[in-house]
Amino acid sequence: METEPRSLKAVFADAEAQRIALETQAFTPNSQQYADAISSAIKNYQESLHLISHLSLFSRNESLEDLSTSDLPLLLINYHLAELSQKLPTPSLPERKRILTSARDFYERFLHLLDSYSLLTPQSAKLLEAYTSSPSTFSTANSSDPTVRRNAKIANFQTEKALRQKLEYLRGRPEYGATEDEDIPSGAGDEEVVREVYLANLAYRVHLTFNALDSLNREMEILSMAPSQPPPSTQQNQQQAEDDRRRRGITSDGSYNDRLDIMNRALGGKGGPILSQQGKPLQPFTLLASRQEIAKGVFRPSHNLPTMTIDEYLEEERRRGGIIEGGGEASGQVPEPDEDDYEKAEKEMYKARAWDEFVEENPRGAGNTINRG
């Protein structure tokens, strides 16, 4: 049984629901589920464009008054395609460039479609003319003067803030009949208010489009300066060949064997070659007897490790007589006097007094009779 073709309204509603789910639900970045959700939304938006073209819904011979209010959200399809396509995972630089080029085309179609219905403000029309004349160098602050660029960015931010606040105010009016998703009214709102909200949303998206084109050009400049990458298979093969040469101790040109260098680095030695091209030693190295000794030193640190513990060192010093134990006069330490031992304190006092008397009776130099005049 053949499936009945879906209507434009149904396809566009599915695309909008998928886009809103991507913005509100938590997806793991770069996951397959996230990529599938983006691809499904893009597919429905592209199908909507095909149906619009088949129905000849938009025409250059029409004016804004000829468009029904329910058809105004369809003008945003190219904008949504540009935004969604840039969120697709990109495994390589060429693929990213292709996606950015595709997003640029969608942005251009969105702007030119709105321009055909005179929906661009004079300022936006001027920006579109500047972009058309030089798409790859377009910038919202086209000046080399830092002050001018700063003022332009401030004005751009203020304009974006004003457009966003106006849109939020209009969506908050009861006459709009907003649902949980503010982009889709319930259908019970006042048509004039709904139309005004749609037009305000279009003006806001136009402003975001010019900012996106500016950022897109900056990203393209960065990608153009990136070095070209070989295919993944070629790059993997080159890495495997390099690893094999290093394991065998052979340089890329095959003219010099650096096996000693590899062993020296593994054992924590200095970097650089050990032998010159003529075989002359350039730095000291150690020859080991077996591979087992080499293997033991692979993960050893660059500094010298201790050969004994502190207890072993003290035991060795004690054995050699380098440690005096027991205290007393041999230790050279003067014990602190005991304040409660009065007899000892009295002996010390008399001893000090006798020494003072001896010093008074025998002044310094009194016994030196040779140098007396």
Side-chain angles (χ1 to χ4, degrees):
M1 182 178 178
E2 294 184 1
T3 58
E4 210 175 289
R6 294 188 299 170
S7 64
L8 172 60
K9 182 178 180 180
V11 175
F12 181 71
D14 289 345
E16 288 286 271
Q18 290 170 338
R19 176 184 63 83
I20 293 165
L22 285 168
E23 295 176 353
T24 56
Q25 297 180 8
F27 286 92
T28 303
N30 297 327
S31 65
Q32 188 61 39
Q33 182 184 8
Y34 183 63
D36 293 342
I38 295 175
S39 300
S40 180
I42 290 176
K43 182 179 178 181
N44 282 325
Y45 275 126
Q46 289 176 338
E47 186 177 351
S48 299
L49 284 180
H50 176 72
L51 292 174
I52 289 173
S53 177
H54 180 71
L55 298 172
S56 300
L57 194 61
F58 300 134
S59 174
R60 294 184 178 274
N61 299 324
E62 294 179 343
S63 62
L64 179 60
E65 288 73 18
D66 298 326
L67 284 178
S68 64
T69 302
S70 60
D71 291 339
L72 289 177
L74 300 176
L75 296 172
L76 284 166
I77 292 180
N78 283 304
Y79 172 82
H80 293 319
L81 282 172
E83 292 289 307
L84 289 173
S85 61
Q86 294 181 80
K87 297 179 181 179
L88 285 170
T90 51
S92 62
L93 291 180
E95 182 66 17
R96 182 60 182 173
K97 291 181 181 179
R98 187 193 64 79
I99 287 177
L100 293 180
T101 303
S102 176
R104 184 196 298 275
D105 294 337
F106 286 128
Y107 282 133
E108 291 177 358
R109 294 174 190 174
F110 170 65
L111 292 174
H112 288 301
L113 179 59
L114 265 60
D115 188 36
S116 66
Y117 284 99
S118 302
L119 282 170
L120 299 181
T121 62
Q123 183 180 3
S124 298
K126 186 178 179 181
L127 287 174
L128 178 59
E129 182 180 355
Y131 171 79
T132 306
S133 61
S134 181
S136 59
T137 59
F138 170 77
S139 175
T140 54
N142 192 12
S143 175
S144 58
D145 188 356
T147 304
V148 175
R149 291 180 63 85
R150 179 177 178 275
N151 294 335
K153 288 183 179 180
I154 293 175
N156 188 25
F157 173 77
Q158 291 175 346
T159 302
E160 179 179 339
K161 182 179 179 182
L163 290 171
R164 184 173 61 251
Q165 290 177 344
K166 178 182 177 180
L167 182 60
E168 292 173 354
Y169 168 75
L170 292 174
R171 283 175 172 170
R173 295 177 62 182
E175 296 89 346
Y176 175 59
T179 58
E180 293 183 0
D181 173 35
E182 297 179 344
D183 289 340
I184 305 175
S186 63
D190 184 84
E191 184 177 355
E192 291 185 3
V193 177
V194 173
R195 189 178 183 87
E196 188 177 0
V197 170
Y198 285 162
L199 293 176
N201 190 28
L202 287 171
Y204 178 60
R205 303 299 174 177
V206 167
H207 181 81
L208 295 181
T209 297
F210 285 115
N211 290 339
L213 288 171
D214 189 355
S215 299
L216 189 146
N217 284 339
R218 304 289 82 77
E219 184 175 354
M220 290 292 284
E221 288 180 6
I222 295 174
L223 293 178
S224 63
M225 294 184 290
S228 58
Q229 293 181 338
S233 59
T234 305
Q235 190 174 6
Q236 186 176 5
N237 293 336
Q238 291 177 352
Q239 185 63 36
Q240 290 177 352
E242 181 65 23
D243 293 342
D244 183 61
R245 284 196 298 268
R246 287 183 178 275
R247 283 194 298 270
R248 291 184 296 156
I250 302 174
T251 58
S252 57
D253 57 1
S255 61
Y256 173 60
N257 191 325
D258 64 345
R259 190 169 182 82
L260 286 176
D261 299 346
I262 297 175
M263 294 181 181
N264 188 44
R265 287 194 297 269
L267 296 173
K270 298 179 180 179
I274 293 180
L275 302 177
S276 65
Q277 296 287 351
Q278 294 75 26
K280 180 180 178 181
L282 300 178
Q283 57 176 298
F285 60 91
T286 304
L287 293 177
L288 300 178
S290 63
R291 290 180 176 270
Q292 287 74 16
E293 294 187 30
I294 298 175
K296 290 180 182 178
V298 170
F299 298 106
R300 105 178 250 182
S302 58
H303 57 276
N304 293 329
L305 296 176
T307 57
M308 62 177 64
T309 64
I310 296 177
D311 293 337
E312 291 174 345
Y313 170 76
L314 293 176
E315 185 65 26
E316 178 65 18
E317 285 293 317
R318 186 179 293 107
R319 187 186 65 80
R320 295 166 53 188
I323 298 178
I324 299 175
E325 297 178 342
E329 296 181 358
S331 65
Q333 298 179 353
V334 179
E336 296 183 1
D338 187 1
E339 296 180 356
D340 297 332
D341 192 350
Y342 297 106
E343 292 183 2
K344 187 174 182 180
E346 187 175 1
K347 289 181 180 180
E348 292 292 334
M349 180 188 68
Y350 284 121
K351 183 179 180 180
R353 184 179 299 174
W355 174 254
D356 292 339
E357 292 176 355
F358 174 78
V359 170
E360 290 178 0
E361 294 175 357
N362 302 277
R364 185 180 181 83
N368 187 1
T369 59
I370 299 175
N371 295 330
R372 288 183 178 180

